[in-house]
């Protein structure tokens, strides 16, 4: 299965919302895992089996990086599988 790994920087000031969102997306566009990191360094996460905190997987197909970047409050980029794995290990275990 060909996966994509996306980091989305959310540019906003609300302390109750994440500032970085890491997503693992399958080749069809389904989000499989997500880590949401907050300004204070805490994080929530979600998988197909569990959701911790406010995190939840997208119910619609994941948009392209270009579509995400059309919003002035978001900057998305593709990251490596290793980078996602390190973030997952750091915040989830």
């Amino acid at each position: 299965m060909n996966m994509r790994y996306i980091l989305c920087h959310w540019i906003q000031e609300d302390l109750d919302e994440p500032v970085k969102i890491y997503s693992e997306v399958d080749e069809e566009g389904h989000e499989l895992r997500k880590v949401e990191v907050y300004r204070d360094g805490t994080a929530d996460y979600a998988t197909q089996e569990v959701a911790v905190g406010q995190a939840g997987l997208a119910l619609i197909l994941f948009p392209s990086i270009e579509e995400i970047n059309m919003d002035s409050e978001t900057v998305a980029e593709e990251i490596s599988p290793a980078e996602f794995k390190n973030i997952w290990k750091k915040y989830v275990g």
Side-chain angles (χ1 to χ4, degrees), residues 8-12 63-76:
C8 183
H9 301 270
W10 191 6
I11 304 161
Q12 49 82 27
S64 70
I65 289 174
E66 293 78 19
E67 289 175 289
I68 295 169
N69 287 339
M70 291 175 75
D71 184 332
S72 63
E73 292 186 341
T74 56
V75 177

Side-chain angles (χ1 to χ4, degrees), residues 27-77:
E27 59 194 11
E28 296 175 355
H30 299 101
E31 192 172 45
L32 303 178
R33 294 189 292 172
K34 174 189 278 182
V35 177
E36 297 182 343
V37 181
Y38 294 83
R39 194 174 308 283
D40 67 1
T42 61
D44 296 335
Y45 68 91
T47 69
Q48 293 178 313
E49 293 81 31
V50 66
V52 173
Q54 297 181 54
L57 298 181
L59 300 177
I60 60 172
L61 294 180
F62 204 83
S64 70
I65 289 174
E66 293 78 19
E67 289 175 289
I68 295 169
N69 287 339
M70 291 175 75
D71 184 332
S72 63
E73 292 186 341
T74 56
V75 177
E77 61 184 301

Side-chain angles (χ1 to χ4, degrees), residues 6-8 20-24 31 33-37 79 83-84 87 91:
I6 310 298
L7 166 56
C8 183
K20 292 183 180 179
I21 303 168
Y22 296 85
S23 298
E24 178 183 60
E31 192 172 45
R33 294 189 292 172
K34 174 189 278 182
V35 177
E36 297 182 343
V37 181
I79 60 173
E83 187 173 350
F84 183 87
I87 291 296
Y91 291 107

